[in-house]
């Protein structure tokens, strides 16, 4: 699966978080590293790198909810081009934003993890809309 394919599916599922007036290549934001080598190591050896999804910059309250409010100055905007060889899988829906984790792309992620993630994000968005 190409990056453009999974990213199109992600944006369709999470359309409320990817307004068309914002850049369409932004996948999300993180406070941490944007090193692909580190992302690979993290996915293999401990917890994968988390990312707040959407093309709108997170608020300070959203960073606090993510547990990285104190990491000021470390904010990274992650674009689809930076994720070559990676895929985003479900990591939750907290406060008012969907979260993902960055994994090296493989058959298991494409065939099992990503379809399950789309379903989980879809359910989370419906629940969030019901509470608005």
């Amino acid at each position: 699966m190409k990056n453009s394919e999974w990213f199109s599916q992600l944006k369709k599922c999470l359309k409320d978080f990817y307004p068309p007036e914002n850049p369409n290549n932004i996948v999300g934001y993180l406070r941490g590293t944007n090193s692909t080598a580190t992302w690979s190591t993290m996915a293999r050896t401990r917890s994968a790198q988390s990312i707040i999804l959407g093309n709108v910059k997170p608020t300070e309250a959203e960073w606090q909810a993510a547990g990285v409010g104190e990491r000021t100055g470390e904010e990274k905007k992650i674009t689809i081009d930076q994720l070559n060889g990676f895929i985003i899988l479900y990591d939750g829906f907290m406060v008012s934003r969907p979260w993902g984790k960055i994994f090296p792309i493989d058959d298991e992620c494409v065939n099992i993890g990503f379809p399950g993630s789309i379903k989980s994000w879809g359910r989370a968005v419906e629940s969030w809309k019901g509470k608005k």
Side-chain angles (χ1 to χ4, degrees):
M1 177 181 282
K2 296 177 185 174
N3 277 11
S4 60
E5 292 174 44
W6 68 255
F7 189 42
S8 291
Q9 291 178 41
L10 177 79
K11 288 193 298 185
K12 183 177 178 183
C13 176
L14 300 175
K15 62 183 175 277
D16 294 327
F17 305 95
Y18 291 93
E21 63 272 11
N22 288 1
N24 66 0
N25 66 332
I26 297 172
V27 176
Y29 295 81
L30 59 84
R31 283 191 177 168
T33 183
N34 59 356
S35 162
T36 57
T38 301
W39 294 344
S40 292
T41 300
M42 288 174 72
R44 255 191 343 272
T45 62
R46 58 184 186 104
S47 182
Q49 175 67 55
S50 291
I51 182 170
I52 298 176
L53 298 171
N55 63 1
V56 176
K57 186 177 173 179
T59 65
E60 197 53 44
E62 290 166 335
W63 286 123
Q64 291 294 333
V68 293
E70 73 286 349
R71 291 188 197 168
T72 57
E74 293 185 41
E75 185 173 294
K76 307 285 189 316
K77 176 176 25 181
I78 304 301
T79 66
I80 191 62
D81 291 339
Q82 291 173 277
L83 290 168
N84 191 29
F86 292 87
I87 193 166
I88 305 293
L89 299 182
Y90 184 79
D91 190 31
F93 194 102
M94 309 218 187
V95 182
S96 59
R97 294 286 284 267
W99 294 12
K101 284 200 181 272
I102 302 171
F103 287 93
I105 199 165
D106 63 20
D107 287 343
E108 185 177 346
C109 287
V110 169
N111 297 319
I112 299 169
F114 189 71
S117 292
I118 291 292
K119 288 177 185 173
S120 295
W121 280 312
R123 285 190 300 268
V125 167
E126 288 307 312
S127 176
W128 170 73
K129 284 181 175 180
K131 294 176 184 174
K132 279 176 74 172

